[in-house]
Each structure stands twice: as C-alpha cells, then as structure tokens.
Amino acid sequence: MRDDEEMGRITLAQVAQKAGVSISTVSKVLNGRQDVAPPTRIKVERLLETHAYRRTARSSREAPLIEIVFHELDSIWALELIRGVENVAKANRASVVLTESGTRHSPDPDWIEGVLQRRPIGVVLVFSALPQAVKQQLRARSIPFVIIDPAGDPDPDVPSVGSANWTGGLAATRHLIELGHRRIGIITGPEDMLCSLARLDGYRSAMSMAGLETAPELIRFGDFHVEGGYDRAMEMLSLPERPTAVFAGSDLQALGVLEAARVNGLRVPHDLSVVGYDDVQVARWSSPALTTVHQPLRQMAEEAAQMLLRLRTEEPSSTRLELATSLVVRKSTAPPRTD
C-alpha cells in the first residue's frame, strides 16, 4: 500500500480489514468503480466516513480538469460562470469539463459516481447545497469543491461564493422610488430560493424606508426565465391600478416584462419603467437597454475556481465570500408620467 493512501488514524489496509474485503475492493469504492456490490460499497463508505479518511496526496490518475456542474446549461448567466472558471483553469494549465445534473438545489445522486471516476483536481458546483454523503465522498478522495451560490445559502461547512442579493434588491427599488414611482411591482425568482427572498426583502426594505405600501398584488414569484417574467407581468398589467414600474429578479424576466408592456400598448420607459437583475450581455442590447443590478457572475466564478485551487493544499474551510452588487442605469427607467 502506498504512503499517499494513508491518514494518521487509518489506512486502506485497516479499512479493508474492518470491512472484511480486499484492499483492491476499497480502492474500487474510492475510485467510483461500479463492480462492487451495493452492500459492500455502503459498508466501506461508512467506514471511510466514520474514520474521516482522506487521501493526503494527489493521485497520479488525477486529471488536469476543473469540473463545473449546473442543473441547467441553457441559462444565459451560465456562460458568464463558465468563462470565469475557464479563465482560472487556463492560467493554471487545466481544462474545464461541464456537467448538467440534478435540480437547482443539488446534483443527481448518480453524479458522484462519474466524478469519482474522472478524478478532477476540483469541482465547482452551481447549487444551493450538497448532500452530506456527497460531501464526505469528495473529501475522502481529496477532491476539493466550492459552491457558486447565486441561488441559496450553502451549509456552513461548504466553501462558497455568492453575491449581495438583499443589497441589489434595495438598490433597484430605491432607484425607482427616487425617480418618483410609488406603485412598484416586483417579479422575483422561485419562492424556494433564498436569493429570490433576499431580493424581495431588499425591495420591501426600500419601500418601507420610503413610507410606501407593499401591495400584495404587486409581489409575484417567477422562474428567472423570459416566459415567467412575461406571464407575471401580464397579470400585473391587467390590474385595475397597474404598477408604473416593475423590478424583475433577473434580466431574462425583465425581457418578458418588456414584451408584456408591448402587448399591452405600453412604452418603456414612458409608460412603464423596468429594472432587471444580473447585467448579462443581453441587458445592454435589449430595446430599450435595461437598467439592471450588476451581479459579478464572472468574478464569482473566478473567485470560486481560485478558492478551489487553494483547497488542494489547505484544509477544507467554511469560507463564505460575498461579492458586491451595483446598479447600472440605462434607458429602461424614467420618472412616471404625470398626465
């Protein structure tokens, strides 16, 4: 057995002895091989977890890859995250492999088998959380991981990079209030995502500080996609007293609001002001160009990849890095009409 397969309190030989299997069987479990009976795999995994087994040196089989895992690759902001990881990977002579798996909360259970076989130098995950068993399996193989978290609030034992969602919601709403708007609607993201709730809380705080009512009919939950923004905006614009401004929780939803305004014969920003969120490239090329909250997606990805590389030589950390958001004023907002 190699010295680099040891941890202070237990070795692979000791794990094999306790499990009543061969060292090669334990090695197969560590490397994600499929030719191990499920009861044996479970027994070995439990022993590895119980004894906090770690590989303390990198295997010669390790690939010069950084894996980035999304629940969907068709979102426009995914490209910004990929570019950020790619920038760091290229500077460190590594490649990037993309994986689509699971829901917005966590990857599919079978994802872990593939990553153990690929043995990347680290994994960047765009999810809210990771199951405890997955975290332990990655740590036992010394595969560091970092969550890029525009969507939730990761567990405290998970290194992560996020952004200031509450501040972004506050800034967007304050901008509309300062322009003179009083009846302001919000289409935030899904109700089960903490970033959606944080942006909504920022909106409510701005309204409260200005002494304005937050009318329940002007608060809607979308899906961060164009269709969701369009549908929720159509509902708002059909109200007897429609809003004069809408803060959309993503630029894609804001595009849906622009289309809903067009369908209803409203001009933006003359009849309706619109603010987006993210500042993806399409925001500056929409008609009119979107006022939006800049979320530093590429920088978030770069920070996550750099944190990942540091974790290869450092102990796992509960580091939570939160980057600032900022308002970018373009042409989709204006004072409300007075006629």
Side-chain angles (χ1 to χ4, degrees):
M1 184 192 65
R2 301 192 313 267
D3 289 341
D4 66 350
E5 299 280 25
E6 296 183 357
M7 187 192 170
R9 289 174 297 174
I10 196 167
T11 66
L12 283 190
Q14 291 168 330
V15 172
Q17 182 180 22
K18 290 176 181 293
V21 300
S22 67
I23 294 177
S24 65
T25 297
V26 177
S27 181
K28 288 178 181 180
V29 173
L30 276 169
N31 293 316
R33 292 271 298 276
Q34 299 302 302
D35 52 341
V36 179
T40 301
R41 181 183 301 278
I42 292 171
K43 183 188 296 185
V44 172
E45 289 284 5
R46 286 177 176 169
L47 283 167
L48 293 170
E49 181 175 2
T50 298
H51 295 280
Y53 177 84
R54 300 286 189 277
R55 277 191 170 115
T56 56
R58 309 306 298 171
S59 166
S60 60
R61 294 181 59 240
E62 175 187 83
L65 302 173
I66 295 177
E67 183 161 346
I68 179 168
V69 190
F70 297 87
H71 80 277
E72 60 179 9
L73 286 172
D74 59 351
S75 63
I76 196 167
W77 50 261
L79 294 175
E80 289 297 303
L81 297 179
I82 292 168
R83 289 190 181 105
V85 173
E86 175 66 26
N87 288 344
V88 175
K90 186 176 181 180
N92 288 272
R93 298 183 178 181
S95 298
V96 176
V97 59
L98 307 180
T99 300
E100 186 175 28
S101 177
T103 69
R104 59 179 174 260
H105 298 293
S106 63
D108 285 330
D110 59 359
W111 165 77
I112 188 65
E113 296 175 358
V115 78
L116 295 184
Q117 293 177 12
R118 288 185 291 275
R119 291 297 307 277
I121 59 177
V123 182
V124 174
L125 301 114
V126 189
F127 294 98
S128 301
L130 276 180
Q132 185 61 36
V134 171
K135 290 188 286 187
Q136 178 55 35
Q137 286 174 302
L138 291 173
R139 286 169 178 157
R141 281 77 173 179
S142 291
I143 301 176
F145 57 92
V146 176
I147 284 182
I148 296 179
D149 181 47
D153 189 16
D155 295 334
D157 65 335
V158 176
S160 62
V161 179
S163 68
N165 289 292
W166 181 86
T167 303
L170 182 79
T173 310
R174 273 183 171 170
H175 170 67
L176 294 170
I177 292 171
E178 289 168 357
L179 287 173
H181 293 278
R182 296 297 177 263
R183 191 161 172 80
I184 302 170
I186 178 172
I187 304 172
T188 190
E191 196 167 1
D192 63 347
M193 295 176 71
L194 291 182
C195 69
S196 305
L197 300 178
R199 293 169 197 178
L200 176 58
D201 285 345
Y203 159 86
R204 284 178 166 148
S205 295
M207 296 289 282
S208 177
M209 286 186 280
L212 300 175
E213 177 187 0
T214 53
E217 68 271 19
L218 295 183
I219 298 175
R220 308 279 169 148
F221 290 93
D223 59 6
F224 287 145
H225 294 288
V226 176
E227 294 82 1
Y230 175 82
D231 291 342
R232 302 292 83 76
M234 290 295 286
E235 294 168 1
M236 281 190 191
L237 297 179
S238 67
L239 293 170
E241 186 182 359
R242 66 169 179 82
T244 62
V246 174
F247 165 38
S250 74
D251 289 337
L252 292 182
Q253 287 187 155
L255 294 180
V257 178
L258 294 182
E259 177 61 14
R262 187 194 68 78
V263 169
N264 282 273
L266 300 175
R267 296 172 299 165
V268 176
H270 305 287
D271 304 310
L272 181 72
S273 285
V274 179
V275 178
Y277 200 105
D278 287 330
D279 194 24
V280 293
Q281 191 169 15
V282 70
R284 68 197 71 173
W285 296 111
S286 67
S287 183
L290 274 175
T291 293
T292 187
V293 176
H294 176 74
Q295 182 173 209
L297 294 168
R298 191 175 303 192
Q299 184 185 356
M300 288 164 63
E302 291 173 345
E303 293 285 355
Q306 289 167 353
M307 186 183 295
L308 190 72
L309 295 176
R310 289 196 298 272
L311 288 173
R312 297 182 67 210
T313 57
E314 299 173 4
E315 284 298 312
S317 169
S318 59
T319 301
R320 164 73 175 176
L321 179 62
E322 184 174 273
L323 302 184
T325 53
S326 58
L327 185 70
V328 180
V329 179
R330 296 194 179 103
K331 297 182 178 180
S332 65
T333 51
R337 292 176 57 177
T338 56
D339 57 344

